[in-house]
Amino acid sequence: MLACCFAMFRSSSLTMAVSTLALGFLSCCGVAPPTRYFYLAECLSLVDLSLTVKSGVQYSLWGGSVLNLGTEAHRRAYFDDIGSFKLPGCFAMTELKHGSNVAALQTEAVLDVLTDEWVINTPDEGAIKWWIGNAAEDGRA
């Protein structure tokens, strides 16, 4: 029963995020004035704090990673779908042992050029990803 309630809540939060975007208050990936983003986040938090978190993960962490670390080709390919939530993302920086201490993170992702696949190495239990924003329902690999 509890799992069903959580699933309904996650679905409701996603629906609200998509609906908010459709109102035009926010543009994806740093295009809107930053003050608009922060004002909207403050207003959303008065209604549903999880909606603020979901929007922050989608636009700031996931969309921001594409904006700041991707190429122009990545931005052209993904911005519209990130902005419309057709391509929901997650952000998996934190580790159980290190929290958000980026300098101490242990997990490595290395591109195997022969297979064109990413090899993820998590060396011990303390390096497992923890508190992955948006991954429970909307993130996909």
Side-chain angles (χ1 to χ4, degrees), residues 25-42:
F25 292 121
L26 193 60
S27 295
C28 180
C29 307
V31 177
T35 52
R36 182 185 298 178
Y37 176 84
F38 293 120
Y39 291 149
L40 180 61
E42 187 172 337

Side-chain angles (χ1 to χ4, degrees), residues 1-63:
M1 179 67 174
L2 189 58
C4 179
C5 290
F6 284 132
M8 287 177 15
F9 183 74
R10 283 193 307 267
S11 176
S12 172
S13 185
L14 176 62
T15 300
M16 286 188 291
V18 171
S19 298
T20 302
L21 176 72
L23 294 173
F25 292 121
L26 193 60
S27 295
C28 180
C29 307
V31 177
T35 52
R36 182 185 298 178
Y37 176 84
F38 293 120
Y39 291 149
L40 180 61
E42 187 172 337
C43 290
L44 292 176
S45 71
L46 297 172
V47 177
D48 182 354
L49 192 56
S50 70
L51 180 55
T52 305
V53 172
K54 181 172 285 298
S55 297
V57 169
Q58 181 71 12
Y59 296 119
S60 296
L61 299 177
W62 161 224

Side-chain angles (χ1 to χ4, degrees), residues 45-106:
S45 71
L46 297 172
V47 177
D48 182 354
L49 192 56
S50 70
L51 180 55
T52 305
V53 172
K54 181 172 285 298
S55 297
V57 169
Q58 181 71 12
Y59 296 119
S60 296
L61 299 177
W62 161 224
S65 293
V66 174
L67 175 68
N68 295 302
L69 302 173
T71 66
E72 186 58 36
H74 292 117
R75 290 186 280 279
R76 278 194 309 272
Y78 301 123
F79 267 11
D80 289 344
D81 288 345
I82 291 170
S84 65
F85 270 90
K86 288 180 185 172
L87 185 59
C90 67
F91 193 80
M93 179 183 74
T94 56
E95 291 182 353
L96 180 60
K97 186 175 174 183
H98 304 100
S100 296
N101 179 1
V102 178
L105 297 179
Q106 294 177 291

